[in-house]
Amino acid sequence: MDNLTVAVLGTGIMGEPIARNLLRAGLGVRVWNRTRAKAEPLADAGAVVCGEAAEAADGADVVVTMLHDGDAVEQVIAGVLPAMEEDAVWVQMSTVGAEAADRLAELARSRDVPYVDSPVLGTRKPAEDGALVVLASGPRDERVDRIFEAIGSRTMWIGEGTEASRLKLVANSWVLALTSAVGEAVALAEAFGLDPRLFLQAIEGGLMDTPYAHLKGEAIIRREFPASFPASGAAKDASLVAAAGRAAGANPRIADGVREQFRRTVELGHGEEDMAAVYYAARRNSGTGE
């Protein structure tokens, strides 16, 4: 346990700060990213940067995947599972949706690799602060607990299968709808010739208030969209929510609308900006892409 080594596969917006917090916790960290330049800065913090994902997994006690989607995870892990140590565990932290989570869990079972389904709640800032909320399902393991303690403020263990990925979709359905609603409220205020900050003042301190509305509302009003979570990722997650909800027998009409708003945001050229840029899909002149 004292010499726990973790392989972090994917060092993007979330994977990079996760790797840094594992290093701060005194763990050995090996990292890989498809674009190696995104992983290189972690070398200065003490990580071993590897040229291949299997190389990073070789000798690691825990392999963490934090990649874009289920297809990316499946493609990468196919070459990694044979390189994993006999008693190593796979901690799958990417947001992949329900169907892909089941498929990845089955892949792990077919190789006799313990699989922990553990997407997280939070964007880049909570990841940097080690304040993520980890949603976990699967086998409990002291090594995994140690990783979750290093990167998060709390962990919710909710089942033995892939329940965590389903709860992540539930939470995402709320936060994506809220972000889209804030963007639309600001766009409506501007269309009516009102100062959009009046909207934030109107809800402040009441039952309708939420800190998130002020965070995203101010970013929209200032037209400042550094990506804590990019709109392209939000579009992907909104599609996962709608598809999984429908497959489970729900009627996710709001999720369908949110998905279209984020798709439009990407079409307008704002995919790499923060998801608050969904505001542009609600503007009167959204067709200009301005």
Side-chain angles (χ1 to χ4, degrees), residues 116-132:
V116 180
D117 181 43
S118 52
V120 297
L121 300 182
T123 53
R124 184 176 183 89
K125 185 61 165 62
E128 291 173 342
D129 295 342
L132 296 167

Side-chain angles (χ1 to χ4, degrees), residues 62-148:
V62 179
V63 173
V64 172
T65 46
M66 181 55 91
L67 300 164
H68 178 66
D69 57 18
D71 289 343
V73 174
E74 189 167 13
Q75 181 182 31
V76 169
I77 206 68
V80 168
L81 290 174
M84 290 176 62
E85 296 296 301
E86 185 175 347
D87 63 345
V89 59
W90 174 16
V91 175
Q92 206 306 101
M93 307 191 80
S94 321
T95 300
V96 300
E99 187 275 332
D102 290 344
R103 190 170 70 245
L104 295 172
E106 179 56 36
L107 179 60
R109 280 193 293 271
S110 71
R111 302 294 183 90
D112 293 321
V113 173
Y115 176 86
V116 180
D117 181 43
S118 52
V120 297
L121 300 182
T123 53
R124 184 176 183 89
K125 185 61 165 62
E128 291 173 342
D129 295 342
L132 296 167
V133 175
V134 182
L135 310 178
S137 52
R140 294 290 297 267
D141 187 297
E142 288 184 43
R143 298 170 296 177
V144 175
D145 286 338
R146 190 171 170 189
I147 289 170
F148 292 165

Side-chain angles (χ1 to χ4, degrees), residues 9-214:
L9 309 182
T11 58
I13 287 177
M14 299 295 288
E16 188 266 347
I18 283 173
R20 288 190 183 277
N21 281 320
L22 294 174
L23 288 164
R24 292 188 188 105
L27 307 184
V29 177
R30 303 167 65 83
V31 297
W32 169 86
N33 195 74
R34 193 180 304 276
T35 303
R36 185 182 175 111
K38 292 185 177 180
E40 289 289 358
L42 289 163
D44 293 336
V48 176
V49 179
C50 301
E52 300 291 339
E55 178 188 353
D58 186 17
D61 302 290
V62 179
V63 173
V64 172
T65 46
M66 181 55 91
L67 300 164
H68 178 66
D69 57 18
D71 289 343
V73 174
E74 189 167 13
Q75 181 182 31
V76 169
I77 206 68
V80 168
L81 290 174
M84 290 176 62
E85 296 296 301
E86 185 175 347
D87 63 345
V89 59
W90 174 16
V91 175
Q92 206 306 101
M93 307 191 80
S94 321
T95 300
V96 300
E99 187 275 332
D102 290 344
R103 190 170 70 245
L104 295 172
E106 179 56 36
L107 179 60
R109 280 193 293 271
S110 71
R111 302 294 183 90
D112 293 321
V113 173
Y115 176 86
V116 180
D117 181 43
S118 52
V120 297
L121 300 182
T123 53
R124 184 176 183 89
K125 185 61 165 62
E128 291 173 342
D129 295 342
L132 296 167
V133 175
V134 182
L135 310 178
S137 52
R140 294 290 297 267
D141 187 297
E142 288 184 43
R143 298 170 296 177
V144 175
D145 286 338
R146 190 171 170 189
I147 289 170
F148 292 165
E149 288 168 4
I151 68 170
S153 59
R154 64 189 176 102
T155 300
M156 293 177 61
W157 285 93
I158 57 173
E160 298 298 322
T162 56
E163 295 89 346
S165 278
R166 286 163 169 80
L167 181 56
K168 176 63 186 293
L169 294 179
V170 172
N172 273 9
S173 73
W174 180 83
V175 73
L176 296 175
L178 178 57
T179 304
S180 184
V182 172
E184 187 164 304
V186 171
L188 280 170
E190 292 175 347
F192 294 152
L194 297 171
D195 180 346
R197 285 193 172 87
L198 292 172
F199 154 64
L200 299 177
Q201 293 171 17
I203 65 172
E204 188 171 9
L207 293 177
M208 294 187 296
D209 199 8
T210 171
Y212 202 77
H214 294 272

